[in-house]
């Protein structure tokens, strides 16, 4: 199984407001991560437009790699509710890594967090249980 080095996981709402950004490496800095993530959003939306043009709607919203920089690759998943989940990986990760199961599990954690009756959507912060789930997934992925 190919191992991937996850640098950051981010969740943004339908208006591209960050709900969750967690770095898993000391570099790049937080500002650079925000730049990489926000720089990828136009490409995510472009990929979503391409998927909308297909005749049969797909329940699976894994978008694959949406952006590459010199040192990093950005993979994305778009939830039907409008949230976007992004993972920034080091460029030395295998190019054939399939992150679909990783993103499906991340999405499941997101749905569970938002369906929690104590979750306050106006707070715009995801609960600690979501963070624990993400940390476990990244650890299992190798990152």
């Amino acid at each position: 199984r190919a191992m991937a080095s996850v640098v950051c996981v981010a969740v943004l709402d339908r208006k591209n407001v960050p709900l969750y950004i967690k770095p898993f490496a000391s570099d790049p800095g937080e500002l650079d991560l925000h730049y990489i993530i926000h720089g990828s959003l136009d490409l995510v939306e472009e990929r979503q437009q391409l998927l909308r043009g297909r005749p049969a709607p797909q329940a699976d919203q894994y978008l694959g790699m949406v952006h590459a920089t010199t040192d990093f690759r950005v993979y994305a998943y778009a939830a039907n509710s409008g949230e976007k989940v992004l993972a920034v990986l080091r460029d030395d990760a295998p190019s054939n890594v399939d992150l679909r199961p990783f993103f499906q599990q991340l999405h499941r954690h997101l749905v569970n967090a938002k369906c929690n009756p104590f979750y306050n959507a106006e707070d715009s912060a995801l609960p600690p249980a979501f963070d624990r789930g993400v940390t476990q997934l990244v650890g299992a992925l190798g990152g």
Side-chain angles (χ1 to χ4, degrees), residues 28 31-41 67 69 72 74 88:
L31 185 60
D32 289 334
L33 283 174
H34 280 265
Y35 178 75
I36 292 167
I37 290 164
H38 285 283
S40 302
L41 290 176
H67 183 56
T69 69
F72 305 102
V74 180
V88 180

Side-chain angles (χ1 to χ4, degrees), residues 11-34:
V11 178
L12 296 99
D13 70 8
R14 66 176 56 245
K15 295 178 183 174
N16 296 332
V17 174
L19 299 175
Y20 177 88
I21 296 180
K22 177 155 185 176
F24 290 94
S26 58
D27 69 308
E30 191 172 336
L31 185 60
D32 289 334
L33 283 174
H34 280 265

Side-chain angles (χ1 to χ4, degrees), residues 44 61-66 74-78 84-87 103:
V44 169
Q61 296 295 317
Y62 176 66
L63 302 176
M65 187 177 73
V66 294
V74 180
Y75 292 80
Y77 185 96
K84 296 161 208 67
V85 182
L86 286 82
F103 276 106

Side-chain angles (χ1 to χ4, degrees), residues 76-91:
Y77 185 96
N80 288 330
S81 55
E83 289 96 349
K84 296 161 208 67
V85 182
L86 286 82
V88 180
L89 276 67
R90 291 205 183 284
D91 193 42

Side-chain angles (χ1 to χ4, degrees), residues 50 109 112 127:
L50 289 172
H109 284 295
N112 289 342

